[in-house]
């Protein structure tokens, strides 16, 4: 059974949320990763792809490069997703989907998370928790080209899916 954007993408984005959190654990004597300074700041997510899932119904693409709104099952859906990486190694994630049905009914779903991140070379580890108690970590390959951030999951999800997120600097 297929679910609307407000259910399936919300679940998908909750699943992807740990990608957006990192913890930096650098010793003052260690060399500073130049990618770390580029990662800092706010990023608007404009593309999310989940592919090659064992259950093909989980394969989804959300392309917001030309517009934050699209039509699904006759309803207009407008999505906002933001990632923010701070110097204190906190990662902030914000998601909002506003759906307007053809009859004019409006529903809003929001989610926000604060997570911890670490960046070693070009691998970003995003974890729930703070300090020494970090759980549910996910590792992503980070690429920054100009004002575009690309995060690609390094380990498949429990559904066998490959995941990729692309964002532009605010």
């Amino acid at each position: 059974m297929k679910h609307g954007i407000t259910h399936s993408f919300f679940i998908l984005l909750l699943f992807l949320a740990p990608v957006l959190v990192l913890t930096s654990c650098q010793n003052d004597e260690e060399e500073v990763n130049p990618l770390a300074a580029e990662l800092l700041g706010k990023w608007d997510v404009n593309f999310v792809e989940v592919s090659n899932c064992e259950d093909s119904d989980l394969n989804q693409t959300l392309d917001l490069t030309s517009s934050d709104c699209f039509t699904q099952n006759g309803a207009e859906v407008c999505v906002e997703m933001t990632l923010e990486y701070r110097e204190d190694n906190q990662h902030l994630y914000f998601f909002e989907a506003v759906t307007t049905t053809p009859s004019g009914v409006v529903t809003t779903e929001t989610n926000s998370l604060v997570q911890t991140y670490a960046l070693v070379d070009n691998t970003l580890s995003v974890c729930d928790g703070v300090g020494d108690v970090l759980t549910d970590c996910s590792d992503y390959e980070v690429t920054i080209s100009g004002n575009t951030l690309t995060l690609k999951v390094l380990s498949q999800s429990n559904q066998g899916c490959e995941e990729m997120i692309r964002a532009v600097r605010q």
Side-chain angles (χ1 to χ4, degrees), residues 69-125:
C69 300
F70 56 93
T71 302
Q72 182 182 31
N73 300 327
E76 179 184 56
V77 181
C78 297
V79 176
E80 177 186 351
M81 286 183 282
T82 304
L83 306 174
E84 181 179 355
Y85 297 95
R86 295 182 174 176
E87 287 185 33
D88 64 0
N89 301 322
Q90 295 299 299
H91 167 79
L92 303 163
Y93 163 77
F94 174 78
F95 166 81
E96 179 177 74
V98 178
T99 303
T100 306
T101 65
S103 63
V105 176
V106 177
T107 57
T108 302
E109 290 188 54
T110 60
N111 183 40
S112 61
L113 294 171
V114 176
Q115 298 170 310
T116 302
Y117 74 92
L119 184 62
V120 177
D121 296 325
N122 70 330
T123 300
L124 175 66
S125 296

